[in-house]
Amino acid sequence: DPPSSPQSLQSISVLQLRLTEEEKRLLAQEGVTLPGDLPLTQAEERLLKKVRRKIRNKQSAQDSRRRKKEYLDELESRAAACSALNQELRKKIQELEKSNGSLLRQLQALIKETSTKPAQTGTCVLV
């Protein structure tokens, strides 16, 4: 086969290493430059795995902080709602205690009024 046939080109082509911008940035921080072609050496593989693990850990930490913030926001919202309900209920208790006191005074006045009157005899008629 001539070297330009499709089969020969496939066997000659080298797999390219594709890195994300984050991977490139972290590798640069480590002072490492990886070749653009695969396969990588064991040391290069370890470095790439280390960088990818750092990226996963960073993402996991971000997700954890986001979930924690959402949870705290929800708790704060529930606490505010409970506080508002508590205020309403306290106000209702005051109103009911005031009304209860008034009714109690009326009842005591009626009892006093009926106990000081002489007993009246009455006729009960059933129809």
Side-chain angles (χ1 to χ4, degrees), residues 77-115:
S77 173
R78 286 172 53 194
C82 287
S83 183
L85 179 60
N86 196 359
Q87 276 302 110
E88 283 181 43
L89 294 174
R90 286 179 188 274
K91 186 176 178 183
K92 185 74 172 174
I93 287 171
Q94 283 181 332
E95 291 170 3
L96 290 172
E97 285 176 341
K98 185 176 177 183
S99 175
N100 194 26
S102 173
L103 290 171
L104 188 58
R105 284 189 295 281
Q106 289 176 22
L107 178 62
Q108 287 171 342
L110 284 173
I111 291 171
K112 186 177 180 182
E113 190 178 309
T114 56
S115 66

Side-chain angles (χ1 to χ4, degrees), residues 37-89:
D37 301 334
L38 294 173
L40 299 175
T41 65
Q42 282 188 337
E44 291 168 338
E45 284 280 346
R46 279 195 304 272
L47 282 169
L48 186 56
K49 282 183 181 181
K50 179 180 172 185
V51 163
R52 287 181 174 163
R53 187 176 57 252
K54 280 185 178 182
I55 292 169
R56 283 192 309 270
N57 286 348
K58 179 181 174 184
Q59 183 64 46
S60 178
Q62 287 173 344
D63 290 345
S64 177
R65 286 189 295 271
R66 178 189 48 79
R67 284 191 307 271
K68 181 178 178 182
K69 184 180 181 329
E70 288 172 357
Y71 175 73
L72 286 176
D73 289 347
E74 174 64 23
L75 282 181
E76 288 171 354
S77 173
R78 286 172 53 194
C82 287
S83 183
L85 179 60
N86 196 359
Q87 276 302 110
E88 283 181 43
L89 294 174

Side-chain angles (χ1 to χ4, degrees), residues 5-21:
S5 74
Q7 223 172 19
S8 336
L9 289 176
Q10 283 180 346
S11 61
I12 308 173
S13 69
V14 178
L15 294 175
Q16 294 290 311
L17 175 63
R18 292 198 175 114
L19 298 174
T20 65
E21 290 302 316

